PDB file of all heavy atoms in Angstrom:
ATOM      1  N   GLN A 184     -99.205 -81.390  75.798  1.00 75.00           N
ATOM      2  CA  GLN A 184    -100.034 -80.865  76.913  1.00 75.00           C
ATOM      3  C   GLN A 184     -99.235 -80.071  77.880  1.00 75.00           C
ATOM      4  O   GLN A 184     -99.562 -79.020  78.383  1.00 75.00           O
ATOM      5  CB  GLN A 184    -100.796 -81.965  77.628  1.00 75.00           C
ATOM      6  CG  GLN A 184    -101.885 -82.646  76.748  1.00 75.00           C
ATOM      7  CD  GLN A 184    -102.551 -83.778  77.469  1.00 75.00           C
ATOM      8  OE1 GLN A 184    -101.941 -84.260  78.398  1.00 75.00           O
ATOM      9  NE2 GLN A 184    -103.709 -84.221  77.001  1.00 75.00           N
ATOM     10  N   HIS A 185     -98.062 -80.625  78.246  1.00 73.00           N
ATOM     11  CA  HIS A 185     -97.176 -79.954  79.205  1.00 73.00           C
ATOM     12  C   HIS A 185     -96.694 -78.568  78.612  1.00 73.00           C
ATOM     13  O   HIS A 185     -96.689 -77.616  79.380  1.00 73.00           O
ATOM     14  CB  HIS A 185     -95.953 -80.857  79.470  1.00 73.00           C
ATOM     15  CG  HIS A 185     -94.993 -80.220  80.401  1.00 73.00           C
ATOM     16  ND1 HIS A 185     -95.262 -80.076  81.774  1.00 73.00           N
ATOM     17  CD2 HIS A 185     -93.705 -79.750  80.203  1.00 73.00           C
ATOM     18  CE1 HIS A 185     -94.208 -79.488  82.252  1.00 73.00           C
ATOM     19  NE2 HIS A 185     -93.259 -79.324  81.348  1.00 73.00           N
ATOM     20  N   THR A 186     -96.395 -78.520  77.360  1.00 75.00           N
ATOM     21  CA  THR A 186     -95.925 -77.267  76.749  1.00 75.00           C
ATOM     22  C   THR A 186     -97.124 -76.276  76.785  1.00 75.00           C
ATOM     23  O   THR A 186     -96.881 -75.035  77.124  1.00 75.00           O
ATOM     24  CB  THR A 186     -95.430 -77.502  75.314  1.00 75.00           C
ATOM     25  OG1 THR A 186     -94.398 -78.459  75.421  1.00 75.00           O
ATOM     26  CG2 THR A 186     -94.942 -76.220  74.647  1.00 75.00           C
ATOM     27  N   ALA A 187     -98.316 -76.723  76.351  1.00 70.00           N
ATOM     28  CA  ALA A 187     -99.438 -75.823  76.396  1.00 70.00           C
ATOM     29  C   ALA A 187     -99.692 -75.233  77.814  1.00 70.00           C
ATOM     30  O   ALA A 187     -99.962 -74.034  77.969  1.00 70.00           O
ATOM     31  CB  ALA A 187    -100.664 -76.521  75.909  1.00 70.00           C
ATOM     32  N   VAL A 188     -99.657 -76.094  78.823  1.00 69.00           N
ATOM     33  CA  VAL A 188     -99.941 -75.634  80.236  1.00 69.00           C
ATOM     34  C   VAL A 188     -98.837 -74.628  80.640  1.00 69.00           C
ATOM     35  O   VAL A 188     -99.134 -73.565  81.212  1.00 69.00           O
ATOM     36  CB  VAL A 188    -100.006 -76.826  81.173  1.00 69.00           C
ATOM     37  CG1 VAL A 188     -99.919 -76.384  82.603  1.00 69.00           C
ATOM     38  CG2 VAL A 188    -101.227 -77.614  80.872  1.00 69.00           C
ATOM     39  N   ARG A 189     -97.583 -74.943  80.320  1.00 70.00           N
ATOM     40  CA  ARG A 189     -96.482 -74.105  80.692  1.00 70.00           C
ATOM     41  C   ARG A 189     -96.567 -72.683  80.043  1.00 70.00           C
ATOM     42  O   ARG A 189     -96.378 -71.707  80.728  1.00 70.00           O
ATOM     43  CB  ARG A 189     -95.210 -74.707  80.311  1.00 70.00           C
ATOM     44  CG  ARG A 189     -93.954 -73.960  80.897  1.00 70.00           C
ATOM     45  CD  ARG A 189     -92.730 -74.697  80.543  1.00 70.00           C
ATOM     46  NE  ARG A 189     -92.561 -74.777  79.119  1.00 70.00           N
ATOM     47  CZ  ARG A 189     -91.945 -75.749  78.428  1.00 70.00           C
ATOM     48  NH1 ARG A 189     -91.320 -76.692  79.101  1.00 70.00           N
ATOM     49  NH2 ARG A 189     -91.878 -75.758  77.120  1.00 70.00           N
ATOM     50  N   GLN A 190     -97.020 -72.698  78.785  1.00 66.00           N
ATOM     51  CA  GLN A 190     -97.093 -71.432  78.071  1.00 66.00           C
ATOM     52  C   GLN A 190     -98.303 -70.619  78.532  1.00 66.00           C
ATOM     53  O   GLN A 190     -98.280 -69.420  78.563  1.00 66.00           O
ATOM     54  CB  GLN A 190     -97.248 -71.630  76.558  1.00 66.00           C
ATOM     55  CG  GLN A 190     -95.900 -72.056  75.974  1.00 66.00           C
ATOM     56  CD  GLN A 190     -96.043 -72.387  74.415  1.00 66.00           C
ATOM     57  OE1 GLN A 190     -97.135 -72.347  73.916  1.00 66.00           O
ATOM     58  NE2 GLN A 190     -94.942 -72.531  73.793  1.00 66.00           N
ATOM     59  N   ALA A 191     -99.385 -71.297  79.030  1.00 64.00           N
ATOM     60  CA  ALA A 191    -100.579 -70.645  79.466  1.00 64.00           C
ATOM     61  C   ALA A 191    -100.319 -69.942  80.792  1.00 64.00           C
ATOM     62  O   ALA A 191    -100.855 -68.890  81.069  1.00 64.00           O
ATOM     63  CB  ALA A 191    -101.716 -71.626  79.679  1.00 64.00           C
ATOM     64  N   HIS A 192     -99.411 -70.493  81.581  1.00 66.00           N
ATOM     65  CA  HIS A 192     -99.112 -69.843  82.883  1.00 66.00           C
ATOM     66  C   HIS A 192     -97.834 -68.959  82.943  1.00 66.00           C
ATOM     67  O   HIS A 192     -97.528 -68.382  83.917  1.00 66.00           O
ATOM     68  CB  HIS A 192     -98.904 -70.981  83.966  1.00 66.00           C
ATOM     69  CG  HIS A 192    -100.090 -71.699  84.282  1.00 66.00           C
ATOM     70  ND1 HIS A 192    -100.548 -72.860  83.613  1.00 66.00           N
ATOM     71  CD2 HIS A 192    -101.081 -71.443  85.210  1.00 66.00           C
ATOM     72  CE1 HIS A 192    -101.698 -73.242  84.103  1.00 66.00           C
ATOM     73  NE2 HIS A 192    -102.078 -72.420  85.022  1.00 66.00           N
ATOM     74  N   HIS A 193     -97.221 -68.852  81.692  1.00 66.00           N
ATOM     75  CA  HIS A 193     -96.019 -67.999  81.658  1.00 66.00           C
ATOM     76  C   HIS A 193     -96.389 -66.565  81.463  1.00 66.00           C
ATOM     77  O   HIS A 193     -97.103 -66.190  80.552  1.00 66.00           O
ATOM     78  CB  HIS A 193     -95.132 -68.511  80.475  1.00 66.00           C
ATOM     79  CG  HIS A 193     -93.916 -67.729  80.334  1.00 66.00           C
ATOM     80  ND1 HIS A 193     -92.893 -67.627  81.246  1.00 66.00           N
ATOM     81  CD2 HIS A 193     -93.538 -66.884  79.306  1.00 66.00           C
ATOM     82  CE1 HIS A 193     -91.959 -66.844  80.785  1.00 66.00           C
ATOM     83  NE2 HIS A 193     -92.309 -66.375  79.663  1.00 66.00           N
ATOM     84  N   LYS A 194     -95.928 -65.693  82.280  1.00 70.00           N
ATOM     85  CA  LYS A 194     -96.143 -64.285  82.133  1.00 70.00           C
ATOM     86  C   LYS A 194     -95.036 -63.738  81.152  1.00 70.00           C
ATOM     87  O   LYS A 194     -93.945 -63.912  81.254  1.00 70.00           O
ATOM     88  CB  LYS A 194     -95.917 -63.556  83.492  1.00 70.00           C
ATOM     89  CG  LYS A 194     -96.783 -64.036  84.579  1.00 70.00           C
ATOM     90  CD  LYS A 194     -98.160 -63.308  84.511  1.00 70.00           C
ATOM     91  CE  LYS A 194     -98.887 -63.701  85.760  1.00 70.00           C
ATOM     92  NZ  LYS A 194    -100.339 -63.640  85.650  1.00 70.00           N
ATOM     93  N   HIS A 195     -95.573 -63.022  80.129  1.00 75.00           N
ATOM     94  CA  HIS A 195     -94.826 -62.498  79.116  1.00 75.00           C
ATOM     95  C   HIS A 195     -94.324 -61.072  79.468  1.00 75.00           C
ATOM     96  O   HIS A 195     -95.120 -60.181  79.593  1.00 75.00           O
ATOM     97  CB  HIS A 195     -95.431 -62.487  77.718  1.00 75.00           C
ATOM     98  CG  HIS A 195     -94.670 -61.841  76.714  1.00 75.00           C
ATOM     99  ND1 HIS A 195     -93.512 -62.422  76.106  1.00 75.00           N
ATOM    100  CD2 HIS A 195     -94.808 -60.685  76.024  1.00 75.00           C
ATOM    101  CE1 HIS A 195     -93.047 -61.689  75.210  1.00 75.00           C
ATOM    102  NE2 HIS A 195     -93.770 -60.604  75.115  1.00 75.00           N
ATOM    103  N   GLU A 196     -93.059 -60.902  79.698  1.00 83.00           N
ATOM    104  CA  GLU A 196     -92.495 -59.610  80.008  1.00 83.00           C
ATOM    105  C   GLU A 196     -91.997 -59.017  78.694  1.00 83.00           C
ATOM    106  O   GLU A 196     -91.311 -59.654  77.909  1.00 83.00           O
ATOM    107  CB  GLU A 196     -91.354 -59.674  80.977  1.00 83.00           C
ATOM    108  CG  GLU A 196     -91.796 -60.202  82.334  1.00 83.00           C
ATOM    109  CD  GLU A 196     -90.646 -60.281  83.313  1.00 83.00           C
ATOM    110  OE1 GLU A 196     -89.552 -59.717  82.965  1.00 83.00           O
ATOM    111  OE2 GLU A 196     -90.843 -60.841  84.419  1.00 83.00           O
ATOM    112  N   PRO A 197     -92.289 -57.711  78.472  1.00 83.00           N
ATOM    113  CA  PRO A 197     -91.765 -57.101  77.207  1.00 83.00           C
ATOM    114  C   PRO A 197     -90.270 -57.042  77.200  1.00 83.00           C
ATOM    115  O   PRO A 197     -89.658 -56.570  78.270  1.00 83.00           O
ATOM    116  CB  PRO A 197     -92.403 -55.750  77.190  1.00 83.00           C
ATOM    117  CG  PRO A 197     -92.987 -55.522  78.551  1.00 83.00           C
ATOM    118  CD  PRO A 197     -93.087 -56.858  79.248  1.00 83.00           C
ATOM    119  N   ASN A 198     -89.680 -57.392  76.151  1.00 86.00           N
ATOM    120  CA  ASN A 198     -88.242 -57.335  76.030  1.00 86.00           C
ATOM    121  C   ASN A 198     -87.814 -56.092  75.317  1.00 86.00           C
ATOM    122  O   ASN A 198     -88.692 -55.240  74.967  1.00 86.00           O
ATOM    123  CB  ASN A 198     -87.664 -58.554  75.376  1.00 86.00           C
ATOM    124  CG  ASN A 198     -88.131 -58.794  74.053  1.00 86.00           C
ATOM    125  OD1 ASN A 198     -88.777 -57.946  73.464  1.00 86.00           O
ATOM    126  ND2 ASN A 198     -87.928 -59.981  73.476  1.00 86.00           N
ATOM    127  N   PHE A 199     -86.550 -55.965  74.906  1.00 84.00           N
ATOM    128  CA  PHE A 199     -86.112 -54.806  74.212  1.00 84.00           C
ATOM    129  C   PHE A 199     -86.851 -54.496  72.945  1.00 84.00           C
ATOM    130  O   PHE A 199     -87.237 -53.375  72.574  1.00 84.00           O
ATOM    131  CB  PHE A 199     -84.593 -54.837  74.014  1.00 84.00           C
ATOM    132  CG  PHE A 199     -83.994 -53.692  73.243  1.00 84.00           C
ATOM    133  CD1 PHE A 199     -83.700 -52.540  73.931  1.00 84.00           C
ATOM    134  CD2 PHE A 199     -83.787 -53.757  71.837  1.00 84.00           C
ATOM    135  CE1 PHE A 199     -83.187 -51.433  73.193  1.00 84.00           C
ATOM    136  CE2 PHE A 199     -83.305 -52.688  71.164  1.00 84.00           C
ATOM    137  CZ  PHE A 199     -82.936 -51.554  71.874  1.00 84.00           C
ATOM    138  N   HIS A 200     -86.973 -55.582  72.187  1.00 84.00           N
ATOM    139  CA  HIS A 200     -87.658 -55.419  70.880  1.00 84.00           C
ATOM    140  C   HIS A 200     -89.149 -54.997  70.995  1.00 84.00           C
ATOM    141  O   HIS A 200     -89.651 -54.309  70.135  1.00 84.00           O
ATOM    142  CB  HIS A 200     -87.486 -56.757  70.085  1.00 84.00           C
ATOM    143  CG  HIS A 200     -86.112 -57.145  69.872  1.00 84.00           C
ATOM    144  ND1 HIS A 200     -85.276 -56.414  68.992  1.00 84.00           N
ATOM    145  CD2 HIS A 200     -85.324 -58.088  70.423  1.00 84.00           C
ATOM    146  CE1 HIS A 200     -84.047 -56.959  69.031  1.00 84.00           C
ATOM    147  NE2 HIS A 200     -84.057 -57.955  69.903  1.00 84.00           N
ATOM    148  N   ASP A 201     -89.791 -55.589  72.026  1.00 86.00           N
ATOM    149  CA  ASP A 201     -91.231 -55.168  72.251  1.00 86.00           C
ATOM    150  C   ASP A 201     -91.298 -53.713  72.636  1.00 86.00           C
ATOM    151  O   ASP A 201     -92.218 -53.030  72.224  1.00 86.00           O
ATOM    152  CB  ASP A 201     -91.821 -56.014  73.379  1.00 86.00           C
ATOM    153  CG  ASP A 201     -91.941 -57.535  72.961  1.00 86.00           C
ATOM    154  OD1 ASP A 201     -92.028 -57.798  71.760  1.00 86.00           O
ATOM    155  OD2 ASP A 201     -91.888 -58.326  73.851  1.00 86.00           O
ATOM    156  N   LYS A 202     -90.369 -53.258  73.457  1.00 88.00           N
ATOM    157  CA  LYS A 202     -90.413 -51.901  73.899  1.00 88.00           C
ATOM    158  C   LYS A 202     -89.982 -50.872  72.904  1.00 88.00           C
ATOM    159  O   LYS A 202     -90.556 -49.836  72.696  1.00 88.00           O
ATOM    160  CB  LYS A 202     -89.535 -51.692  75.187  1.00 88.00           C
ATOM    161  CG  LYS A 202     -90.057 -52.361  76.466  1.00 88.00           C
ATOM    162  CD  LYS A 202     -89.034 -52.113  77.503  1.00 88.00           C
ATOM    163  CE  LYS A 202     -89.459 -52.770  78.865  1.00 88.00           C
ATOM    164  NZ  LYS A 202     -88.481 -52.553  79.831  1.00 88.00           N
ATOM    165  N   TYR A 203     -88.802 -51.140  72.237  1.00 88.00           N
ATOM    166  CA  TYR A 203     -88.179 -50.094  71.424  1.00 88.00           C
ATOM    167  C   TYR A 203     -88.053 -50.523  69.932  1.00 88.00           C
ATOM    168  O   TYR A 203     -87.422 -49.813  69.169  1.00 88.00           O
ATOM    169  CB  TYR A 203     -86.747 -49.829  71.894  1.00 88.00           C
ATOM    170  CG  TYR A 203     -86.777 -49.489  73.338  1.00 88.00           C
ATOM    171  CD1 TYR A 203     -86.179 -50.311  74.283  1.00 88.00           C
ATOM    172  CD2 TYR A 203     -87.284 -48.292  73.773  1.00 88.00           C
ATOM    173  CE1 TYR A 203     -86.194 -49.991  75.631  1.00 88.00           C
ATOM    174  CE2 TYR A 203     -87.318 -47.888  75.089  1.00 88.00           C
ATOM    175  CZ  TYR A 203     -86.754 -48.747  76.055  1.00 88.00           C
ATOM    176  OH  TYR A 203     -86.756 -48.450  77.383  1.00 88.00           O
ATOM    177  N   GLY A 204     -88.604 -51.620  69.487  1.00 90.00           N
ATOM    178  CA  GLY A 204     -88.493 -52.147  68.122  1.00 90.00           C
ATOM    179  C   GLY A 204     -88.879 -51.212  67.067  1.00 90.00           C
ATOM    180  O   GLY A 204     -88.166 -50.875  66.130  1.00 90.00           O
ATOM    181  N   ASN A 205     -90.129 -50.699  67.238  1.00 93.00           N
ATOM    182  CA  ASN A 205     -90.700 -49.709  66.199  1.00 93.00           C
ATOM    183  C   ASN A 205     -89.881 -48.429  66.263  1.00 93.00           C
ATOM    184  O   ASN A 205     -89.698 -47.811  65.157  1.00 93.00           O
ATOM    185  CB  ASN A 205     -92.125 -49.534  66.442  1.00 93.00           C
ATOM    186  CG  ASN A 205     -92.969 -50.732  66.206  1.00 93.00           C
ATOM    187  OD1 ASN A 205     -92.627 -51.584  65.372  1.00 93.00           O
ATOM    188  ND2 ASN A 205     -94.135 -50.801  66.856  1.00 93.00           N
ATOM    189  N   LEU A 206     -89.536 -47.981  67.455  1.00 93.00           N
ATOM    190  CA  LEU A 206     -88.721 -46.745  67.455  1.00 93.00           C
ATOM    191  C   LEU A 206     -87.383 -46.849  66.765  1.00 93.00           C
ATOM    192  O   LEU A 206     -86.913 -45.930  66.030  1.00 93.00           O
ATOM    193  CB  LEU A 206     -88.560 -46.339  69.009  1.00 93.00           C
ATOM    194  CG  LEU A 206     -87.951 -45.002  69.241  1.00 93.00           C
ATOM    195  CD1 LEU A 206     -88.816 -43.908  68.748  1.00 93.00           C
ATOM    196  CD2 LEU A 206     -87.747 -44.842  70.684  1.00 93.00           C
ATOM    197  N   VAL A 207     -86.709 -47.968  67.015  1.00 94.00           N
ATOM    198  CA  VAL A 207     -85.426 -48.180  66.345  1.00 94.00           C
ATOM    199  C   VAL A 207     -85.564 -48.297  64.883  1.00 94.00           C
ATOM    200  O   VAL A 207     -84.840 -47.740  64.081  1.00 94.00           O
ATOM    201  CB  VAL A 207     -84.789 -49.470  66.956  1.00 94.00           C
ATOM    202  CG1 VAL A 207     -83.517 -49.826  66.099  1.00 94.00           C
ATOM    203  CG2 VAL A 207     -84.383 -49.184  68.423  1.00 94.00           C
ATOM    204  N   LEU A 208     -86.667 -48.929  64.389  1.00 94.00           N
ATOM    205  CA  LEU A 208     -86.892 -49.161  62.930  1.00 94.00           C
ATOM    206  C   LEU A 208     -87.169 -47.747  62.307  1.00 94.00           C
ATOM    207  O   LEU A 208     -86.662 -47.447  61.292  1.00 94.00           O
ATOM    208  CB  LEU A 208     -88.106 -50.077  62.788  1.00 94.00           C
ATOM    209  CG  LEU A 208     -88.492 -50.314  61.368  1.00 94.00           C
ATOM    210  CD1 LEU A 208     -87.422 -51.080  60.658  1.00 94.00           C
ATOM    211  CD2 LEU A 208     -89.781 -51.134  61.279  1.00 94.00           C
ATOM    212  N   LEU A 209     -87.980 -46.985  63.015  1.00 95.00           N
ATOM    213  CA  LEU A 209     -88.299 -45.605  62.410  1.00 95.00           C
ATOM    214  C   LEU A 209     -87.046 -44.724  62.463  1.00 95.00           C
ATOM    215  O   LEU A 209     -86.818 -43.947  61.519  1.00 95.00           O
ATOM    216  CB  LEU A 209     -89.433 -45.009  63.277  1.00 95.00           C
ATOM    217  CG  LEU A 209     -90.823 -45.616  63.047  1.00 95.00           C
ATOM    218  CD1 LEU A 209     -91.837 -44.970  63.919  1.00 95.00           C
ATOM    219  CD2 LEU A 209     -91.254 -45.488  61.569  1.00 95.00           C
ATOM    220  N   GLY A 210     -86.241 -44.839  63.513  1.00 96.00           N
ATOM    221  CA  GLY A 210     -85.028 -44.074  63.556  1.00 96.00           C
ATOM    222  C   GLY A 210     -84.053 -44.427  62.409  1.00 96.00           C
ATOM    223  O   GLY A 210     -83.446 -43.594  61.888  1.00 96.00           O
ATOM    224  N   GLY A 211     -83.932 -45.727  62.224  1.00 95.00           N
ATOM    225  CA  GLY A 211     -83.019 -46.201  61.092  1.00 95.00           C
ATOM    226  C   GLY A 211     -83.597 -45.778  59.746  1.00 95.00           C
ATOM    227  O   GLY A 211     -82.829 -45.356  58.888  1.00 95.00           O
ATOM    228  N   ALA A 212     -84.889 -45.797  59.604  1.00 96.00           N
ATOM    229  CA  ALA A 212     -85.422 -45.246  58.267  1.00 96.00           C
ATOM    230  C   ALA A 212     -85.178 -43.753  58.100  1.00 96.00           C
ATOM    231  O   ALA A 212     -84.974 -43.321  56.973  1.00 96.00           O
ATOM    232  CB  ALA A 212     -86.906 -45.637  58.275  1.00 96.00           C
ATOM    233  N   ALA A 213     -85.307 -43.037  59.168  1.00 97.00           N
ATOM    234  CA  ALA A 213     -85.073 -41.583  59.119  1.00 97.00           C
ATOM    235  C   ALA A 213     -83.594 -41.323  58.769  1.00 97.00           C
ATOM    236  O   ALA A 213     -83.344 -40.409  57.962  1.00 97.00           O
ATOM    237  CB  ALA A 213     -85.466 -40.923  60.464  1.00 97.00           C
ATOM    238  N   VAL A 214     -82.713 -42.023  59.388  1.00 97.00           N
ATOM    239  CA  VAL A 214     -81.271 -41.791  59.092  1.00 97.00           C
ATOM    240  C   VAL A 214     -81.034 -42.194  57.626  1.00 97.00           C
ATOM    241  O   VAL A 214     -80.327 -41.496  56.916  1.00 97.00           O
ATOM    242  CB  VAL A 214     -80.387 -42.599  60.092  1.00 97.00           C
ATOM    243  CG1 VAL A 214     -78.961 -42.582  59.595  1.00 97.00           C
ATOM    244  CG2 VAL A 214     -80.501 -42.033  61.420  1.00 97.00           C
ATOM    245  N   PHE A 215     -81.553 -43.306  57.180  1.00 97.00           N
ATOM    246  CA  PHE A 215     -81.410 -43.733  55.817  1.00 97.00           C
ATOM    247  C   PHE A 215     -81.839 -42.677  54.869  1.00 97.00           C
ATOM    248  O   PHE A 215     -81.179 -42.368  53.917  1.00 97.00           O
ATOM    249  CB  PHE A 215     -82.137 -45.088  55.641  1.00 97.00           C
ATOM    250  CG  PHE A 215     -82.048 -45.582  54.266  1.00 97.00           C
ATOM    251  CD1 PHE A 215     -81.071 -46.468  53.855  1.00 97.00           C
ATOM    252  CD2 PHE A 215     -83.117 -45.356  53.337  1.00 97.00           C
ATOM    253  CE1 PHE A 215     -81.068 -46.943  52.517  1.00 97.00           C
ATOM    254  CE2 PHE A 215     -83.102 -45.819  52.099  1.00 97.00           C
ATOM    255  CZ  PHE A 215     -82.016 -46.659  51.686  1.00 97.00           C
ATOM    256  N   ALA A 216     -83.093 -42.207  55.090  1.00 97.00           N
ATOM    257  CA  ALA A 216     -83.584 -41.166  54.163  1.00 97.00           C
ATOM    258  C   ALA A 216     -82.850 -39.878  54.258  1.00 97.00           C
ATOM    259  O   ALA A 216     -82.576 -39.201  53.141  1.00 97.00           O
ATOM    260  CB  ALA A 216     -85.106 -40.897  54.540  1.00 97.00           C
ATOM    261  N   ALA A 217     -82.356 -39.424  55.384  1.00 96.00           N
ATOM    262  CA  ALA A 217     -81.573 -38.280  55.444  1.00 96.00           C
ATOM    263  C   ALA A 217     -80.205 -38.318  54.758  1.00 96.00           C
ATOM    264  O   ALA A 217     -79.769 -37.499  54.074  1.00 96.00           O
ATOM    265  CB  ALA A 217     -81.309 -37.959  56.931  1.00 96.00           C
ATOM    266  N   VAL A 218     -79.537 -39.514  54.896  1.00 94.00           N
ATOM    267  CA  VAL A 218     -78.257 -39.674  54.279  1.00 94.00           C
ATOM    268  C   VAL A 218     -78.382 -39.739  52.725  1.00 94.00           C
ATOM    269  O   VAL A 218     -77.729 -39.025  52.025  1.00 94.00           O
ATOM    270  CB  VAL A 218     -77.590 -40.978  54.717  1.00 94.00           C
ATOM    271  CG1 VAL A 218     -76.330 -41.355  53.894  1.00 94.00           C
ATOM    272  CG2 VAL A 218     -77.117 -40.738  56.160  1.00 94.00           C
ATOM    273  N   TRP A 219     -79.397 -40.440  52.215  1.00 92.00           N
ATOM    274  CA  TRP A 219     -79.594 -40.479  50.818  1.00 92.00           C
ATOM    275  C   TRP A 219     -80.092 -39.198  50.251  1.00 92.00           C
ATOM    276  O   TRP A 219     -79.807 -38.808  49.134  1.00 92.00           O
ATOM    277  CB  TRP A 219     -80.433 -41.692  50.444  1.00 92.00           C
ATOM    278  CG  TRP A 219     -79.680 -42.993  50.374  1.00 92.00           C
ATOM    279  CD1 TRP A 219     -79.687 -44.006  51.260  1.00 92.00           C
ATOM    280  CD2 TRP A 219     -78.692 -43.348  49.470  1.00 92.00           C
ATOM    281  NE1 TRP A 219     -78.822 -44.943  50.889  1.00 92.00           N
ATOM    282  CE2 TRP A 219     -78.154 -44.545  49.799  1.00 92.00           C
ATOM    283  CE3 TRP A 219     -78.134 -42.714  48.362  1.00 92.00           C
ATOM    284  CZ2 TRP A 219     -77.120 -45.219  49.086  1.00 92.00           C
ATOM    285  CZ3 TRP A 219     -77.107 -43.302  47.554  1.00 92.00           C
ATOM    286  CH2 TRP A 219     -76.632 -44.629  47.969  1.00 92.00           C
ATOM    287  N   GLY A 220     -80.935 -38.538  51.039  1.00 91.00           N
ATOM    288  CA  GLY A 220     -81.410 -37.248  50.628  1.00 91.00           C
ATOM    289  C   GLY A 220     -80.203 -36.212  50.428  1.00 91.00           C
ATOM    290  O   GLY A 220     -80.158 -35.477  49.472  1.00 91.00           O
ATOM    291  N   TYR A 221     -79.222 -36.312  51.379  1.00 89.00           N
ATOM    292  CA  TYR A 221     -78.022 -35.470  51.272  1.00 89.00           C
ATOM    293  C   TYR A 221     -77.286 -35.887  50.007  1.00 89.00           C
ATOM    294  O   TYR A 221     -76.759 -35.068  49.264  1.00 89.00           O
ATOM    295  CB  TYR A 221     -77.153 -35.643  52.559  1.00 89.00           C
ATOM    296  CG  TYR A 221     -75.828 -34.972  52.354  1.00 89.00           C
ATOM    297  CD1 TYR A 221     -75.701 -33.580  52.519  1.00 89.00           C
ATOM    298  CD2 TYR A 221     -74.696 -35.656  52.101  1.00 89.00           C
ATOM    299  CE1 TYR A 221     -74.463 -32.925  52.295  1.00 89.00           C
ATOM    300  CE2 TYR A 221     -73.480 -35.053  51.853  1.00 89.00           C
ATOM    301  CZ  TYR A 221     -73.347 -33.687  52.002  1.00 89.00           C
ATOM    302  OH  TYR A 221     -72.137 -33.148  51.848  1.00 89.00           O
TER     303      TYR A 221
END
């Protein structure tokens, strides 16, 4: 119960992975494709 109450009142701030995770993943995939294409 204590854990549930604490999580319910906790404000989730976006971290680096929330903000830039997809961008980094797509950038890595683009570099991978470019290198192997070459």
Side-chain angles (χ1 to χ4, degrees):
Q184 287 175 346
H185 179 71
T186 302
V188 167
R189 188 178 59 208
Q190 287 178 350
H192 290 91
H193 178 67
K194 302 273 188 207
H195 176 69
E196 296 180 11
N198 59 13
F199 177 83
H200 300 287
D201 294 333
K202 290 181 181 177
Y203 306 111
N205 291 335
L206 187 64
V207 170
L208 182 66
L209 291 175
V214 170
F215 177 86
V218 168
W219 279 108
Y221 172 80

